[in-house]
Amino acid sequence: MFFKFLPQEFNFFKLFEKQADCAVEAAIYLKKTVSSGSAGEEALGKMRDLEHEGDEASHAIIDQLNKSFITPFDREDIHTLTKELDDITDMINTLLNHIVVYRLCGVNANLVEFACVIENSVQAVACAVKGLRNTKNLAHVSEHCVEVNRLENLGDSMRNRMLGELFEKEKDPITLIKLKEIYQDAETILDICEDVAHVVESILVKQA
Amino acid sequence: MFFKFLPQEFNFFKLFEKQADCAVEAAIYLKKTVSSGSAGEEALGKMRDLEHEGDEASHAIIDQLNKSFITPFDREDIHTLTKELDDITDMINTLLNHIVVYRLCGVNANLVEFACVIENSVQAVACAVKGLRNTKNLAHVSEHCVEVNRLENLGDSMRNRMLGELFEKEKDPITLIKLKEIYQDAETILDICEDVAHVVESILVKQA
Amino acid sequence: MFFKFLPQEFNFFKLFEKQADCAVEAAIYLKKTVSSGSAGEEALGKMRDLEHEGDEASHAIIDQLNKSFITPFDREDIHTLTKELDDITDMINTLLNHIVVYRLCGVNANLVEFACVIENSVQAVACAVKGLRNTKNLAHVSEHCVEVNRLENLGDSMRNRMLGELFEKEKDPITLIKLKEIYQDAETILDICEDVAHVVESILVKQA
């Protein structure tokens, strides 16, 4: 095996940024779609493309990781970070899939509210990931992570409020099943963003 | 970076014990709450506090791990152990949240039965974790792990029995949705306890 | 501690193959059971036995890993591979359990379709795992992994189609709850197979 050295480490950052950008684009597209109140095959196709793009960046990271001797931070953290960035886009895709498969039509104000929080969280994740490149900016990176944690807590209480209302008001069990799952999906996206923030924080501690 | 040596390793045990104690307190509080048949905002507040306390111990462990050169057992095992102890308290919190959000009132005998098994399992987990401190006691640690495994199997068959009865007798789909999720949550807590027992067993093997 | 050297590495392969064979047998048994349209205590017992057998192989792998100094591939990959092979059999068992607990009777054509894809995927996983033993065959291993990925994508679209139809046609919410979970379980098995394929691919890259 032929080990490649330092120049490679710049590629890791570029690939992570590519992955983070895919997640941001997916979050923006999700917000646009739920705000318009109609999602169909076209939306799924667009989302599948974004997932693919992110996947390719992730595969390139793993390939490079397995061939590199020196890495910008712990191999294990690189592995976890790329996997969880991937999970963000996957989960946004899953949520959109559920909206289409369950044939939910019309604008659901709760879902729009969630999509805005999701977009903010994914943007903060992307800022945190991009900040890793410049070790002088680590304080800012930490602030973005704190914001992701705050949004996850917000999402938790949003989901509790929405589920509480849903079980109180919705009398049609099938509609209830659909919305319960969709609110749960939305909250899961914020959980995954928090997981990413935890990895980033752990990388920060080691670089301190 | 300034590496700290042996004295630190005693702190790891103290912090793990703190985390385990939080999980035990959460399990006891869960049993008390479901036995009383009423859970509300106050219960959620109390549980959130316990989750926070456990979280702080977990963060202190990760911080210390990232700064320590010598650790009492594998870094990877420390990481997994603290994450999964955290997951126990989180999942107990999730279960209680579902009870509140779904506005389940009155004493549910199945749930009380589950809460007792959960308390026993979390107590056994705490005994196993505390036993790691003294390498002369490793046989006892192993016994606690076996007990956790036994309780997980018991929980599996309890959930199957309860779900079977539920789908046979409950005609209201909305009640069914709520109870199905809650029995599933309860069983998931026992699964996580088993995951902790597996990590502890893997630590034991390496120390043998 | 007494470290054992090279001869042990042959055992790893034998144990992985044992684990893979258990998963294959479980998948074949699942297909047989859903094709017959009746699953009961006997089926559960048989599945539990297979899960046990696989578990034992997995424990033997972890034991050996903790005692071996030299391993045929990365310790971390061995750990992940055995855990995820275990997850395949566990999840097949979970699916069968749901069928029994929900008292689903009669042949469900969708489920038979899924069980066939699951069997193909688990067979491809087993071929990939067995191929690891002979480093001259790595191209074939890679082909099996590609096949597992293809079947996961197929399963995704199968589940979407089936859930779409279910939510459109099924008016009984309780039947809907049962089938929704079972199709989801089936798809999860294919997801886990894909996770195994990813680990195998990552092992391949490092051996290249």
Side-chain angles (χ1 to χ4, degrees), chain B residues 8 13 56 67 77 82 94 130 145 147 169 200 205:
Chain B
Q8 293 293 338
F13 291 116
E56 271 169 32
K67 289 178 195 151
D77 289 331
T82 188
T94 297
K130 289 176 185 184
C145 293
E147 174 67 1
K169 294 182 190 158
V200 171
V205 173

Side-chain angles (χ1 to χ4, degrees), chain A residues 75-136:
Chain A
R75 310 180 76 78
E76 170 113 3
D77 289 331
I78 291 178
H79 217 284
T80 314
L81 187 56
T82 188
K83 195 194 165 316
E84 285 176 359
L85 282 171
D86 208 40
D87 286 348
I88 296 178
T89 313
D90 278 10
M91 196 63 217
I92 295 177
N93 188 16
T94 297
L95 169 53
L96 199 71
N97 244 288
H98 280 145
I99 294 175
V100 175
V101 165
Y102 295 163
R103 293 162 177 62
L104 289 179
C105 304
V107 177
N108 174 323
N110 282 337
L111 206 48
V112 175
E113 189 183 343
F114 245 129
C116 292
V117 177
I118 288 170
E119 195 208 316
N120 290 341
S121 179
V122 179
Q123 295 273 21
V125 162
C127 290
V129 168
K130 289 177 185 184
L132 284 174
R133 193 194 269 267
N134 187 345
T135 46
K136 285 178 189 155

Side-chain angles (χ1 to χ4, degrees), chain B residues 26-188:
Chain B
I28 292 174
Y29 191 72
L30 176 73
K31 192 178 75 175
K32 201 184 126 201
T33 308
V34 301
S35 302
S36 79
S38 78
E41 283 308 319
E42 198 196 316
L44 291 185
K46 164 82 176 165
M47 201 55 100
R48 235 184 332 255
D49 290 347
L50 283 172
E51 207 184 335
H52 251 243
E53 248 180 83
D55 253 7
E56 271 169 32
S58 175
H59 280 137
I61 289 170
I62 298 295
D63 257 38
Q64 202 167 297
L65 183 63
N66 289 330
K67 289 178 195 151
S68 301
F69 189 66
I70 293 178
T71 54
F73 35 89
D74 267 14
R75 310 181 76 78
E76 169 112 5
D77 289 331
I78 291 179
H79 217 284
T80 313
L81 187 56
T82 188
K83 194 193 166 315
E84 284 176 0
L85 282 171
D86 208 41
D87 286 348
I88 296 177
T89 314
D90 279 10
M91 195 65 216
I92 295 177
N93 188 15
T94 297
L95 169 53
L96 200 71
N97 244 288
H98 280 145
I99 294 175
V100 175
V101 165
Y102 295 164
R103 293 162 176 64
L104 288 179
C105 304
V107 176
N108 174 322
N110 281 337
L111 207 46
V112 176
E113 190 183 342
F114 245 128
C116 292
V117 177
I118 288 171
E119 194 208 317
N120 290 341
S121 180
V122 179
Q123 295 272 20
V125 162
C127 290
V129 168
K130 289 176 185 184
L132 284 174
R133 192 193 269 269
N134 187 345
T135 46
K136 284 178 190 155
N137 270 326
L138 297 188
H140 286 295
V141 173
S142 185
E143 282 166 29
H144 295 302
C145 293
V146 171
E147 174 67 1
V148 173
N149 283 307
R150 190 186 69 80
L151 293 171
E152 195 277 330
N153 284 327
L154 176 63
D156 252 12
S157 60
M158 278 166 59
R159 186 209 43 194
N160 283 349
R161 189 193 78 222
M162 292 173 191
L163 280 185
E165 284 173 17
L166 184 67
F167 275 90
E168 206 157 3
K169 294 182 190 158
E170 182 58 60
K171 296 304 166 210
D172 174 37
I174 295 183
T175 304
L176 193 146
I177 292 169
K178 294 174 177 175
L179 290 175
K180 175 177 177 295
E181 180 148 40
I182 278 170
Y183 297 155
Q184 188 55 61
D185 287 346
E187 217 275 311
T188 301

Side-chain angles (χ1 to χ4, degrees), chain A residues 151-162:
Chain A
L151 293 171
E152 195 278 330
N153 284 328
L154 176 63
D156 253 11
S157 60
M158 278 166 59
R159 185 209 43 196
N160 284 349
R161 189 193 78 221
M162 292 174 191

